[in-house]
Amino acid sequence: MKSVLLEARDICQYFGGLKAVEKVNMQIRVGDIFGVIGPNGAGKTTFFNICSGIFKPTSGEIFFRGESINGFAPEKIARLGMARTFQNIQLFKFMTVLENVKIGFHIRTKTGMLSAILRDRQYREDERFANEKGIEVLERVGLMSFKDTLASNLPYGIQRKVEIARALALDPKILLLDEPVAGMNPIETKALSDFIIDLNKSGYTIAVIEHDMKFVMNTCNRILVLNFGQKICEGTPETVRNDKGVNEAYFGKGIIAGGNS
């Protein structure tokens, strides 16, 4: 069995009287494409925010690569090898695809503010490093043809891929994607599913938050289902598809979903 990469133990997150996340346990293993699904307000993004250090949990503990990361700043967690994208695309619209990806390398370079102003040797070395590695990432993910295209001129689905490519600049051990297919049409959704599966085959462990049940079922090998902040199911797509509690959460009591529709 492959080693556990990211683990949540009895995670709770309270905002006043609201229990956004309540005693959630999770294990993501090396090589997983792990889906986190649930209806609106289920606590999915809050849970990701805890895993990536944006929120400190009210109680419980997060372990990454066997180390407790409770209380670690997001930047420190990123340096340990956790990259994250967000629900809203956060590309710099008037920069090229390569320039956007190069920004992802800032956490791996040594240039300070003074070096950047003076454009000294350290700045030039870091700029050369970011440029070379940025091109490597674009080649790896099949985006070289868009290298010099402004982000604002890209189709929505390609913008999502560029955002993921920028996250890969961190050389992550795990990639957390928050609703990557939100707003996509079926063709774009299928293309991004194939893209994520290819990334996984090339060695990346990936965790995905999504509303799109079909996308998650067809992309992920394991799935965690949240509802009102609580875990109601975890397992293979087949296990989740046949779980009565999951069907009730999505479709109402007495209605059972079938197939991959």
Side-chain angles (χ1 to χ4, degrees), residues 116-159:
I117 293 170
L118 298 176
R119 294 179 174 252
D120 61 11
R121 181 179 176 183
Q122 184 65 63
Y123 170 84
R124 293 193 301 272
E125 288 179 355
D126 283 345
E127 183 66 13
R128 186 165 54 250
F129 168 81
N131 197 71
E132 291 173 356
K133 293 296 184 181
I135 288 173
E136 283 182 18
V137 168
L138 292 180
E139 287 176 340
R140 191 186 316 149
V141 300
L143 292 173
M144 269 299 287
S145 61
F146 299 99
K147 176 173 72 77
D148 298 318
T149 305
L150 293 180
S152 58
N153 294 336
L154 295 171
Y156 186 80
I158 301 297
Q159 288 188 34

Side-chain angles (χ1 to χ4, degrees), residues 19-39:
K19 295 182 177 181
V21 178
E22 176 71 2
K23 291 192 178 300
V24 171
N25 292 282
M26 174 197 72
Q27 287 189 341
I28 299 176
R29 296 185 178 276
V30 173
D32 276 345
I33 306 179
F34 191 95
V36 180
I37 63 173

